[in-house]
Amino acid sequence: MQAYVYKSQRKADTFVYLAKRDDFSLLPEPLRTQLGDLSFVLEVALTPERKLAREDAAVVRGNLSARGFHVQFPPPPDPRVRPDA
């Protein structure tokens, strides 16, 4: 399964995976508004063997099949790191 990955220009470290390149029609309007402009980053083959850095590829494939998109939000902050340190 091919996936097309876009980076949100408004939300740091937030990415959208699409089943069809440049097909933003399946993204709910409130989500599209929240993410702002999306810039194409890469095309990737999501095979069962594929490992992704911050997402479970099987979950991404499932969301692409069911919805046509998957949103990767930034990881939660590490509670061990103090922001004022």
Side-chain angles (χ1 to χ4, degrees):
M1 166 181 276
Q2 288 298 110
Y4 304 90
V5 185
Y6 298 81
K7 178 179 173 70
S8 170
Q9 298 303 300
R10 185 175 291 160
K11 297 285 186 180
D13 298 321
T14 302
F15 296 87
V16 175
Y17 293 71
L18 294 177
K20 295 180 185 173
R21 186 170 181 151
D22 298 333
D23 184 6
F24 304 106
S25 66
L26 296 175
L27 293 175
E29 188 59 39
L31 179 61
R32 289 173 65 182
T33 301
Q34 181 183 17
L35 295 175
D37 289 336
L38 297 170
S39 297
F40 180 75
V41 177
L42 74 112
E43 177 180 350
V44 62
L46 292 178
T47 63
E49 301 81 26
R50 170 70 76 178
K51 302 284 187 216
L52 298 174
R54 292 190 353 215
E55 294 290 305
D56 180 335
V59 171
V60 175
R61 283 194 314 272
N63 285 336
L64 290 175
S65 293
R67 299 183 197 139
F69 72 93
H70 172 84
V71 181
Q72 176 181 308
F73 293 103
D78 187 338
R80 299 171 294 173
V81 177
R82 292 182 19 186
D84 59 343

